[in-house]
Amino acid sequence: MQIGYIGFGKMGLNMALRLKEKGHEVVGYNRSEEGREKARKEALNVVDDLNVLVEKLQSPRLIWIMVSHQGVDEVLGEIVSLLSAGDTIIDGGNCFYKDTLRRAKEIKGKGVNFLDIGVSGGPSGARNGACLMIGGEKEIAKKYIDLYKDLSAPDAWKILGESGAGHFAKMVHNGIEYGMMQSIAEGFAVIKKSDFNFDVKNVADLYNHKSVIESRLIQWLYDGFDKFGPELLEISGEVAASGEGEWTVNTAKELKVSAPAIETSLYFRKMSKGNPSYIGKILSTMRTMFGGHDVGEKNNLNKII
């Protein structure tokens, strides 16, 4: 099918390339010229203006937005007025579900369809097959099943519910991710500190062969030890928090659900600023290996707890 694609960041560019590879006609736009040029170098069809993008799409149009949650309202404000009744917008970024509910209501009032899709798998998943969590009016969502199949890994997509359901599921997914990463980091810090002189890379490799905690996160940690060494000298011991963990914690409180593991992992990240640690280095390592996040400033090991 023909797809207008907005946003060529780490996730967006890889996803657009996968769409093209799967035979879809992609017409793309990125706010910054640098992003547009990067996409052109990958032989994507890129325009310099949203008006041109809309003009190039046949009705009913389908537009996928892949921008940061801070920029979604601005993009929607520019694009919705250019669309016609029956066109569809998909927001594939990480957005707070309450904002998604508001946007769905506003856009529906203008006759434009709106779907929210949480995408998991990082840049590599966007390129090679991601996990898609889909929310929106069921009859509209069902129109694009072939698209979900092309973008996802095998059996890695589901229509989960009405508007907001996709982003809610992704929010909780990221909260769980915080807790899982924190447990892995704390465990490996204990291993590193023990008297047994463990090879942490070797332990990570062992854990990832049919143990109960075998996982992609353990594999990414193994890859990080392989790339940066057991001391992780190039990695920051301060850990960034992108927001989704806090959304999960706050939502759990609203729903009166106890979520201490996720809440503690969020608290650790906030407190890591100015307090680097080996646990923080492990967390930052996993973040950079699966999400391409910056490794951060190098830390003096003498200061590491």
Side-chain angles (χ1 to χ4, degrees):
M1 63 182 66
Q2 189 187 45
I3 303 169
Y5 202 96
I6 301 174
F8 291 133
K10 290 176 290 188
M11 294 287 289
L13 180 58
N14 281 350
M15 186 171 280
L17 289 172
R18 183 172 176 86
L19 286 167
K20 181 184 176 185
E21 185 180 84
K22 292 291 184 177
H24 299 280
E25 180 188 348
V26 179
V27 182
Y29 171 79
N30 190 79
R31 184 175 298 278
S32 74
E33 185 176 350
E34 179 183 0
R36 295 196 297 272
E37 288 306 311
K38 187 179 293 186
R40 286 191 175 105
K41 288 178 181 178
E42 297 287 352
L44 287 170
N45 180 10
V46 181
V47 299
D48 296 318
D49 185 272
L50 284 176
N51 287 277
V52 177
L53 181 142
V54 172
E55 289 171 2
K56 284 182 174 289
L57 299 176
Q58 298 175 356
S59 294
R61 304 174 184 88
L62 173 63
I63 295 179
W64 187 296
I65 297 175
M66 203 69 167
V67 300
S68 68
H69 66 89
Q70 298 96 328
V72 173
D73 282 325
E74 185 174 352
V75 171
L76 290 177
E78 294 179 24
I79 197 75
V80 171
S81 62
L82 304 175
L83 299 180
S84 304
D87 292 345
T88 300
I89 295 174
I90 296 175
D91 180 3
N94 280 328
C95 289
F96 186 43
Y97 80 98
K98 289 185 179 180
D99 290 331
T100 300
L101 290 171
R102 169 180 55 80
R103 291 164 184 153
K105 185 176 181 180
E106 292 172 352
I107 291 170
K108 185 177 181 179
K110 299 180 181 181
V112 176
N113 304 314
F114 186 72
L115 301 175
D116 53 285
I117 299 185
V119 181
S120 178
S124 64
R127 186 67 183 88
N128 302 305
C131 175
L132 305 183
M133 309 163 206
I134 303 155
E137 189 176 330
K138 190 172 183 179
E139 291 308 308
I140 301 300
K142 286 168 63 177
K143 291 181 179 181
Y144 304 106
I145 286 175
D146 288 342
L147 177 67
Y148 312 145
K149 289 180 178 179
D150 285 344
L151 285 175
S152 65
D155 301 318
W157 66 272
K158 286 191 184 297
I159 300 171
L160 297 176
E162 296 298 315
S163 293
H167 282 162
F168 189 96
K170 181 57 163 57
M171 173 191 73
V172 174
H173 161 284
N174 284 16
I176 293 170
E177 179 186 295
Y178 271 47
M180 291 175 68
M181 290 172 65
Q182 187 70 26
S183 293
I184 291 169
E186 290 173 4
F188 272 88
V190 172
I191 286 172
K192 184 77 166 52
K193 192 80 171 181
S194 77
D195 295 330
F196 290 102
N197 195 29
F198 283 113
D199 178 337
V200 287
K201 175 184 166 185
N202 195 39
V203 175
D205 185 47
L206 177 61
Y207 282 173
N208 221 35
H209 283 82
K210 304 305 178 183
S211 82
V212 172
I213 62 169
E214 178 183 12
S215 64
R216 299 180 77 189
L217 286 170
I218 295 287
Q219 181 62 52
W220 279 315
L221 179 57
Y222 170 85
D223 293 340
F225 284 139
D226 187 55
K227 181 175 182 178
F228 300 108
E231 304 295 342
L232 304 175
L233 293 175
E234 298 178 50
I235 304 293
S236 173
E238 300 179 3
V239 195
S242 54
E244 295 90 342
E246 187 153 18
W247 296 342
T248 308
V249 169
N250 292 339
T251 300
K253 289 178 179 178
E254 287 180 10
L255 297 174
K256 294 181 170 50
V257 174
S258 176
I262 299 173
E263 188 168 0
T264 301
S265 66
L266 173 64
Y267 178 76
F268 178 90
R269 292 193 184 197
K270 289 183 175 181
M271 294 304 295
S272 73
K273 187 173 179 59
N275 295 287
S277 67
Y278 189 69
I279 292 174
K281 282 177 170 285
I282 294 174
L283 290 169
S284 294
T285 297
M286 286 186 279
R287 291 184 83 247
T288 195
M289 296 309 295
F290 74 72
H293 302 287
D294 292 338
V295 296
E297 300 279 337
K298 294 182 181 180
N299 294 125
N300 184 338
L301 269 185
N302 294 327
K303 297 180 180 179
I304 296 301
I305 301 169

